[in-house]
């Protein structure tokens, strides 16, 4: 959580140079090169039964990055991640199927309602940015589902193949948007830092966690993401949130962590 959100704040600082699509291309493309060089997954090709899951995992990985960076460009990082974390909440609730989880969903909905610009002292949010964050939430949910399916692959192979699949469409898209600016030494150095902080390191750690933890426990841990994101936005970018927005983020965190903690164990 520390690594990925520090990288997110650093990435937003690069948006004026190459746009959110360009930063996504750098993050995913460079992370894919790093993972391929370190893991060398071609030495043990995945089984044919794993290929479909790896492709979907990579597709969700790339789309999640594109959408959340597009949201970062329009709304504060902490708020965007608070919306995005609804994806893992949905995974927890759908896997538990308990009536009380409706209460956690309502609590999260209450937190998101507090972010709406209908309350006194709450600044308006770009609706397009909110829509991008919701799209990222769906992709994050699918990332967890398919990441769990491919987490049995050894040595970070799932991350390496997934990053390669994601790079195949995010890099051309970012290059078409940013052009030669992606090759500037300062941009490449910043992109490498983002790739390591936000992709290569945390996704490898997440694969290790998913092999050892039930999804509900994983959901408890990632529920703290909005708080880390808001702190990173404040420390790195100077994004200050109102007291009501912090309360909204807290409600979403409690809802996600509570749903994961009380989810029934699968048979």
């Amino acid at each position: 959580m520390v690594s990925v959100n520090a990288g997110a704040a650093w990435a937003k600082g690069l948006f004026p140079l190459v746009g959110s699509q360009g930063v996504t291309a750098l993050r995913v493309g460079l992370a894919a090169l790093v993972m391929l060089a370190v893991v060398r997954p071609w030495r043990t090709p995945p089984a044919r039964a794993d290929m479909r899951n790896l492709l979907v995992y990579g597709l969700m990985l790339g789309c999640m990055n594109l959408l959340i960076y597009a949201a970062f460009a329009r709304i504060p990082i902490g708020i965007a991640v608070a919306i995005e974390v609804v994806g893992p909440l949905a995974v927890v609730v759908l896997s538990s199927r308990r009536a009380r989880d409706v209460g956690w969903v309502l609590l999260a909905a209450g937190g998101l309602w507090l972010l709406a610009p209908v309350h006194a002292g709450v600044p308006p949010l770009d609706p397009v940015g909110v829509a991008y964050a919701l799209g990222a939430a769906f992709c994050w949910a699918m990332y967890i589902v398919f990441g769990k399916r491919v987490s049995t692959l050894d040595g970070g192979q799932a991350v390496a193949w997934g990053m390669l699949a994601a790079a195949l469409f995010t890099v051309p898209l970012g290059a078409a948007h940013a052009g030669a600016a992606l090759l500037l030494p300062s941009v490449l150095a910043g992109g490498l830092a983002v790739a390591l902080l936000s992709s290569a390191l945390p996704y490898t750690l997440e694969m290790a966690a998913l092999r050892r933890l039930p999804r509900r426990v994983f959901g408890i841990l990632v529920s703290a993401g909005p708080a880390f994101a808001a702190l990173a936005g404040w420390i790195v970018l100077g994004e200050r949130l109102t007291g009501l927005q912090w309360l909204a983020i807290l409600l979403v965190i409690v809802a996600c962590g509570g749903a994961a903690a009380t989810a029934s164990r699968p048979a």
Side-chain angles (χ1 to χ4, degrees):
M1 287 295 100
V2 171
S3 179
V4 73
N5 288 295
W10 187 276
K12 188 167 181 176
L14 297 175
F15 286 178
L17 300 176
V18 291
S20 63
Q21 299 96 326
V23 177
T24 303
L26 289 171
R27 170 182 172 175
V28 176
L30 292 174
L33 291 177
V34 170
M35 292 302 301
L36 290 174
V38 172
V39 179
R40 291 180 286 178
W42 56 83
R43 295 179 300 177
T44 309
R48 180 171 296 182
D50 293 323
M51 289 299 298
R52 183 178 68 86
N53 289 330
L54 281 171
L55 287 174
V56 178
Y57 169 73
L59 176 64
M60 293 298 103
L61 185 59
C63 289
M64 180 174 65
N65 281 280
L66 282 170
L67 291 169
I68 197 58
Y69 276 8
F72 287 169
R74 292 166 173 82
I75 59 179
I77 289 178
I79 294 176
V81 175
I83 297 172
E84 185 191 27
V85 83
V86 172
L89 172 62
V91 172
V92 172
V93 171
L94 291 176
S95 64
S96 68
R97 294 188 176 90
R98 288 188 177 183
R100 66 182 175 186
D101 287 328
V102 175
W104 298 122
V105 173
L106 292 176
L107 184 62
L112 296 179
W113 171 249
L114 291 180
L115 295 176
V118 297
H119 308 285
V122 176
L125 295 175
D126 186 328
V128 177
V130 173
Y132 280 136
L134 288 172
F138 172 79
C139 293
W140 195 357
M142 293 298 99
Y143 162 80
I144 293 175
V145 171
F146 285 90
K148 183 69 174 178
R149 294 181 184 180
V150 300
S151 63
T152 55
L153 298 178
D154 295 329
Q157 290 187 11
V159 179
W161 288 119
M163 292 300 299
L164 177 60
L168 291 178
F169 71 93
T170 57
V171 171
L173 182 62
H177 175 79
L182 288 177
L183 301 179
L184 293 174
S186 59
V187 173
L188 284 174
L192 180 60
V194 172
L196 293 175
L197 286 171
S198 291
S199 291
L201 178 60
Y203 290 159
T204 301
L205 293 175
E206 284 183 357
M207 281 293 104
L210 282 167
R211 282 198 303 271
R212 294 165 173 82
L213 299 174
R215 279 187 294 186
R216 67 184 186 88
V217 178
F218 184 81
I220 295 172
L221 298 177
V222 300
S223 67
F228 282 101
L231 288 173
W234 174 49
I235 295 171
V236 179
L237 301 171
E239 293 181 346
R240 297 184 180 275
L241 303 181
T242 66
L244 199 60
Q245 288 173 329
W246 275 108
L247 176 59
I249 289 174
L250 177 62
L251 291 179
V252 172
I253 291 173
V254 172
C256 293
T262 59
S264 59
R265 293 179 181 272

